[in-house]
């Protein structure tokens, strides 16, 4: 399909900035976008750059002349601007808004693929939550709401770009998208336990932790333990932390299973890319499921060989295309 929606000089400059940001991330997903048709590849690169920019703003350590409040204000300005993307042109945007160079390309993608701006602004709500000095979630519904903001909303925007044979906003498709998005996000939460605990972030429902008699201090002690000590703890079926993580792992696996029908609805020319994303996350999840104690020592990662193997399968295996 011809790429006919990035024709203005402003869009060309904006797209170049998006591509630089995407390349700088060294993400495997950016490489996977090469399997998409030109217009969808461009759109996914722009969406990824937008998300990357927001994530960097939320996660980068504060500089001496920076503050959480100033970052929150920037995110809120972005939220206001994103709400007008479908109708406003560059003349309506604040020239001094940080990251403004990304907006012309993002606006073109929103218009071309009819991405609901609510999905893009919901992500910012989730990022604002992440800016808190101590991230906590009272219960499962609160955590689910945050996952909808930072993951399901991204899934809905992605599905609008990849194409879907059914209405992406219909309840059955939203439910499938939510299942896959939450499975991905739960995998991220499990993978990043050590890093998040160090930043005073706890991405588990406090009500569920209370059920197992756990709190933040249990996670802090676990991150300070040696790999041998952790392995011994997780070999004890009665250990509360081990039982809690086993339950979260089971929930994540259930979400992966629930999401499986979604792939059949994705456009055939894009299906293998979504399947590749799923294979990457499920492979990572499988590593965590096999040795959950390791997440307290270091984040689970796929080796270069494992990544190349998945990319090779995506290119050669017809089952990836459905």
């Amino acid at each position: 399909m011809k790429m006919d929606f990035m024709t203005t000089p402003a869009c060309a400059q904006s797209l170049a900035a998006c591509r630089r940001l995407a390349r700088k991330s060294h993400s495997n997903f950016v490489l996977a976008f090469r399997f998409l048709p030109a217009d969808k590849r461009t759109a996914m690169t722009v969406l990824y750059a937008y998300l990357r920019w927001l994530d960097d703003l939320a996660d980068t350590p504060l500089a001496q002349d920076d503050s959480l409040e100033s970052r929150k204000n920037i995110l809120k300005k972005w939220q206001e601007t994103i709400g007008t993307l479908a109708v406003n042109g560059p003349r309506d945007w604040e020239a001094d808004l940080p990251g403004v160079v990304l907006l012309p390309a993002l606006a073109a993608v929103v218009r071309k693929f009819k991405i609901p701006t609510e999905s893009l602004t919901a992500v910012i709500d989730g990022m604002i939550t992440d800016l808190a000095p101590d991230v906590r979630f009272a219960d499962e519904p609160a955590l689910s709401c945050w996952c909808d903001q930072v993951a399901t909303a991204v899934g809905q925007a992605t599905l609008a770009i990849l194409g879907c044979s059914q209405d992406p906003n219909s309840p059955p498709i939203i439910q499938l998208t939510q299942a896959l998005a939450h499975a991905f996000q739960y995998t991220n939460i499990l993978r990043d336990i050590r890093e998040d605990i160090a930043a005073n972030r706890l991405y588990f429902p406090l009500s569920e932790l209370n059920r197992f008699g756990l709190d933040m201090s249990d996670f802090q002690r676990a991150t300070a333990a040696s790999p041998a000590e952790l392995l011994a703890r997780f070999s004890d079926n009665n250990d509360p932390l081990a039982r809690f993580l086993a339950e979260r792992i089971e929930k994540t696996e259930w979400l992966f299973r629930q999401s499986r029908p979604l792939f059949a609805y994705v456009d055939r020319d894009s299906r293998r890319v979504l399947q590749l994303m799923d294979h990457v996350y499920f492979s990572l999840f499988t590593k965590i499921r096999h040795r959950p104690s390791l997440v307290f020592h270091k984040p689970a990662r796929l080796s270069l060989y494992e990544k190349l193997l998945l990319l090779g399968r995506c290119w050669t295996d017809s089952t990836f295309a459905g």
Side-chain angles (χ1 to χ4, degrees):
M1 188 182 296
K2 185 179 179 182
M3 194 183 77
D4 57 359
F5 63 102
M6 291 283 180
T7 55
T8 69
C11 281
Q13 181 183 8
S14 180
L15 178 57
C18 289
R19 284 172 171 163
R20 285 194 298 272
L21 185 56
R23 284 196 301 269
K24 186 180 177 182
S25 72
H26 302 295
S27 168
N28 302 310
F29 290 150
V30 175
L31 184 60
F33 297 161
R34 293 179 179 272
F35 294 105
L36 291 169
D39 62 338
K40 295 182 178 183
R41 179 168 66 245
T42 295
M44 285 301 300
T45 300
V46 171
L47 176 62
Y48 179 86
Y50 164 69
L51 297 169
R52 180 78 268 163
W53 191 88
L54 291 180
D55 196 53
D56 288 346
L57 182 66
D59 286 346
T60 303
L62 292 172
Q64 198 166 22
D65 58 347
D66 201 357
S67 70
L68 290 177
E69 196 59 35
S70 67
R71 291 195 183 183
K72 188 180 295 186
N73 289 336
I74 292 171
L75 288 172
K76 287 181 177 178
K77 285 182 180 179
W78 263 81
Q79 203 165 37
E80 293 170 4
T81 303
I82 292 295
T84 70
L85 278 187
V87 293
N88 288 356
R91 64 186 178 280
D92 302 300
W93 301 326
E94 297 181 36
D96 61 346
L97 179 65
V100 70
V101 68
L102 306 180
L103 283 170
L106 186 61
V109 169
V110 166
R111 296 186 190 112
K112 168 73 174 180
F113 292 93
K114 297 179 174 58
I115 298 175
T117 54
E118 294 84 358
S119 296
L120 302 180
T121 56
V123 176
I124 296 178
D125 284 327
M127 297 294 181
I128 290 174
T129 297
D130 285 341
L131 282 176
D134 53 346
V135 176
R136 301 288 189 277
F137 298 93
D139 49 30
E140 200 76 63
L143 178 62
S144 181
C145 178
W146 176 79
C147 287
D148 280 340
Q149 292 169 341
V150 300
T152 306
V154 175
Q156 289 175 307
T158 299
L159 198 57
I161 293 171
L162 298 184
C164 185
S165 62
Q166 302 291 321
D167 178 4
N169 297 313
S170 65
I173 299 299
I174 289 176
Q175 188 174 11
L176 292 172
T177 304
Q178 183 186 53
L180 186 61
H182 282 218
F184 284 7
Q185 196 60 34
Y186 280 20
T187 300
N188 285 338
I189 289 170
L190 291 166
R191 178 197 64 194
D192 296 336
I193 283 178
R194 183 179 178 84
E195 177 183 315
D196 289 332
I197 295 303
N200 200 22
R201 296 172 172 176
L202 190 58
Y203 290 97
F204 296 114
L206 296 180
S207 60
E208 293 301 296
L209 290 172
N210 291 337
R211 188 160 59 85
F212 286 85
L214 299 170
D215 58 26
M216 183 62 152
S217 64
D218 294 287
F219 288 85
Q220 292 169 331
R221 284 193 293 271
T223 58
S226 70
E229 290 172 328
L230 288 168
L231 187 59
R233 281 194 65 178
F234 276 75
S235 299
D236 179 1
N237 293 330
N238 293 317
D239 184 271
L241 185 58
R243 289 192 296 115
F244 172 76
L245 278 192
E247 190 172 285
R248 302 309 294 184
I249 287 169
E250 183 180 352
K251 184 177 181 66
T252 305
E253 187 167 16
W254 180 83
L255 286 166
F256 272 113
R257 289 198 304 267
Q258 291 297 111
S259 71
R260 287 300 169 253
L262 177 64
F263 299 100
Y265 296 107
V266 178
D267 283 1
R268 191 174 178 82
D269 66 4
S270 309
R271 192 178 303 161
R272 70 171 69 227
V273 170
L274 186 60
Q275 288 176 317
L276 175 59
M277 294 178 182
D278 174 74
H279 277 62
V280 167
Y281 266 96
F282 193 74
S283 296
L284 188 60
F285 167 73
T286 301
K287 281 196 166 192
I288 295 169
R289 181 181 59 187
H290 179 62
R291 290 284 296 276
S293 63
L294 290 182
V295 298
F296 291 98
H297 178 57
K298 60 181 180 180
R301 295 281 187 263
L302 296 182
S303 67
L304 178 60
Y305 171 76
E306 289 168 322
K307 294 173 184 176
L308 291 175
L309 191 63
L310 287 172
L311 281 170
R313 281 192 60 204
C314 180
W315 180 258
T316 61
D317 191 344
S318 61
T319 61
F320 263 85

